[in-house]
Amino acid sequence: MREQELWRRIHAHIGPALASTWSRDVVLGELDNRTVREALDAGVPTQQVWRAVWAFLELPASER
């Protein structure tokens, strides 16, 4: 998954107004207690980041 697709999905589920703040402020345990931004900056693959976001938001399996 490209980073652009990751952001499209995050915007779709969190909303464009909150996505940037949320990705900087919310720490996800599945990303070794990092935020989305920190994980991406550390080189975590976007698919792994999305799976952590997906699990945190408790999205349906169809969104995985």
Side-chain angles (χ1 to χ4, degrees):
M1 166 188 305
R2 293 180 177 209
E3 191 169 330
Q4 181 179 359
E5 176 63 14
L6 171 68
W7 289 114
R8 186 195 67 73
R9 291 180 183 197
I10 290 174
H11 283 215
H13 292 288
I14 296 173
L18 294 176
S20 180
T21 301
W22 187 89
S23 68
R24 284 191 318 261
D25 294 343
V26 176
V27 174
L28 304 177
E30 289 190 29
L31 296 176
D32 295 328
N33 295 317
R34 292 183 279 205
T35 67
V36 168
R37 293 273 184 193
E38 291 169 336
L40 292 172
D41 289 345
V44 176
T46 55
Q47 185 65 39
Q48 185 178 344
V49 173
W50 173 247
R51 286 184 183 150
V53 171
W54 173 84
F56 183 84
L57 296 176
E58 299 179 345
L59 297 173
S62 63
E63 295 293 327
R64 190 160 192 223

